[in-house]
Amino acid sequence: MAAELYAIEVSSAYDEVVEQVIARVADAGSLGKLDLGALSAWKRLRADTPWMAHLMSCPEQEIRQHTERAVTAAQDESRTVAEAAVAARSALTPLPGFSNGDALASVVCFVAAPTRLAVYDSRAHSGLQQLGLLLDNRPGRYGRYLALVEQCRAELAGQGYEWSARQVDLALYQLGGQKKR
């Protein structure tokens, strides 16, 4: 259902960028400036900001070093999904633009482990609220978000539905974007 609603709202070609970055991360084990720029465009973030200028001024090797740590953490099967999300998100914090907010950071974490993690945004946050699931904005929000996504997945599995974390985040995104009546 979530995928169908997303497909109605978004062109089938829209997620090609994410799919290409997922493949690049699988090959390289890290993300570079080109990948972060592509994900920023996919997430519809403004590129004319001071943090983006600072990020583009960082050496490629420094960006790859931090994103490689995030990829390794996201893929660490010895950690719970929420723990992996926290560790991956934390690895990105030193990079310009990643000290606050989870929109772009969550996409970086997601492309590192697309079968495990999910994308966070304000619409998904709103969707959680509509379900009565509270998520505060304190540091560590992405890990708490993934814990709630996993809770939703477990509840769905109990009803006979096997959803990925991405399917849950798409459903939350759709729910959070609906007009309130």
Side-chain angles (χ1 to χ4, degrees):
M1 175 86 166
E4 291 84 8
L5 289 173
Y6 184 73
I8 291 169
E9 184 178 304
V10 179
S11 163
S12 61
Y14 188 80
D15 285 345
E16 288 174 347
V17 168
V18 170
E19 293 163 8
Q20 290 174 17
V21 174
I22 288 169
R24 290 169 56 89
V25 171
D27 287 342
S30 64
L31 291 85
K33 291 184 207 181
L34 182 64
D35 303 307
L36 296 178
L39 294 177
S40 295
W42 179 81
K43 199 68 173 136
R44 300 180 188 147
L45 300 177
R46 289 185 49 199
D48 63 342
T49 60
W51 72 264
M52 183 60 86
H54 292 302
L55 183 68
M56 292 296 110
S57 296
C58 284
E60 178 79 5
Q61 185 57 36
E62 181 180 339
I63 291 171
R64 289 209 176 265
Q65 178 183 16
H66 291 293
T67 60
E68 181 178 17
R69 288 184 189 135
V71 169
T72 300
Q75 295 175 354
D76 184 350
E77 295 286 335
S78 72
R79 298 177 184 198
T80 67
V81 169
E83 290 168 345
V86 168
R89 173 66 184 92
S90 294
L92 298 170
T93 301
L95 292 173
F98 288 87
S99 61
N100 296 317
D102 292 317
L104 181 58
S106 74
V107 179
V108 171
C109 295
F110 168 71
V111 299
T115 61
R116 215 172 171 215
L117 301 182
V119 178
Y120 168 85
D121 76 9
S122 59
R123 283 179 59 168
H125 192 142
S126 178
L128 284 171
Q129 289 176 326
Q130 291 182 47
L131 294 174
L133 299 172
L134 301 179
L135 177 64
D136 62 54
N137 290 320
R138 290 177 296 119
R141 175 179 57 194
Y142 184 59
R144 291 189 306 281
Y145 171 68
L146 261 293
L148 291 170
V149 167
E150 288 300 296
Q151 178 183 331
C152 292
R153 290 184 66 222
E155 290 178 22
L156 286 162
Q159 300 296 317
Y161 301 100
E162 295 298 323
W163 281 28
S164 68
R166 179 66 175 146
Q167 287 173 305
V168 171
D169 94 52
L170 286 174
L172 292 169
Y173 174 86
Q174 290 300 326
L175 180 61
Q178 293 179 355
K179 304 261 191 281
K180 294 181 180 156
R181 296 174 198 241

